[in-house]
Amino acid sequence: MSSVYASWTGERPAVVLMCPVQNVSGVLKREILLGLEEEGVPVVVREGNGDAEELGHRAARLSPLEVGIGLDSQGKAVIHHRKLRRHQPLFTVHLNLRPEAARTVGTNAARLVKVVPFKTI
């Protein structure tokens, strides 16, 4: 078994969204989840501490699909891929409580998995 899947306990492969336990906008989190759902890609939410880049990088390393999203308490979101360096995420977005931008983050993470063109944020 590959080391990518060794720690996976989910029922099926999914993108991992990692965010802090407290002080994260429930609205932004929900919109990211809806963006993934609209594209038909499963997601698992995990808790963690750190900035969006660190959370996204850890999420991508946990995901069997090798795609992770980090959302921090300042409203910054990143889309990360397992093969990218920690400080070089694919997308970095300062959501500033914009639900439509959060949904597009989820959509683009799903589209990375599906290998289709991204939406403009």
Side-chain angles (χ1 to χ4, degrees):
M1 178 179 274
S2 167
S3 63
V4 174
Y5 304 105
S7 64
W8 183 252
T9 59
E11 294 179 14
R12 59 185 175 166
V15 169
V16 175
L17 168 61
M18 189 170 276
C19 53
V21 178
Q22 299 176 358
N23 300 327
V24 67
S25 168
V27 172
L28 296 178
K29 185 174 164 183
R30 188 187 82 229
E31 290 296 323
I32 290 171
L33 295 173
L34 288 172
L36 284 150
E37 181 181 332
E38 286 174 353
E39 293 288 327
V41 174
V43 62
V44 172
V45 179
R46 299 277 189 248
E47 297 172 347
N49 294 315
D51 64 4
E53 288 176 352
E54 181 179 340
L55 293 169
H57 188 253
R58 269 193 278 152
R61 296 182 64 77
L62 285 173
S63 170
L65 298 175
E66 300 183 336
V67 175
I69 302 171
L71 176 63
D72 66 20
S73 57
Q74 285 77 41
K76 181 179 175 183
V78 301
I79 299 173
H80 230 302
H81 190 277
R82 186 174 201 279
K83 294 180 181 175
L84 296 175
R85 294 177 190 213
R86 180 181 180 269
H87 294 292
Q88 296 177 333
L90 186 62
F91 286 105
T92 301
V93 181
H94 296 276
L95 299 175
N96 301 324
L97 299 176
R98 297 178 324 181
E100 68 282 354
R103 188 172 293 217
T104 304
V105 167
T107 299
N108 283 344
R111 288 178 173 210
L112 177 58
V113 171
K114 293 170 29 173
V115 192
V116 296
F118 298 119
K119 282 187 164 183
T120 303
I121 297 180

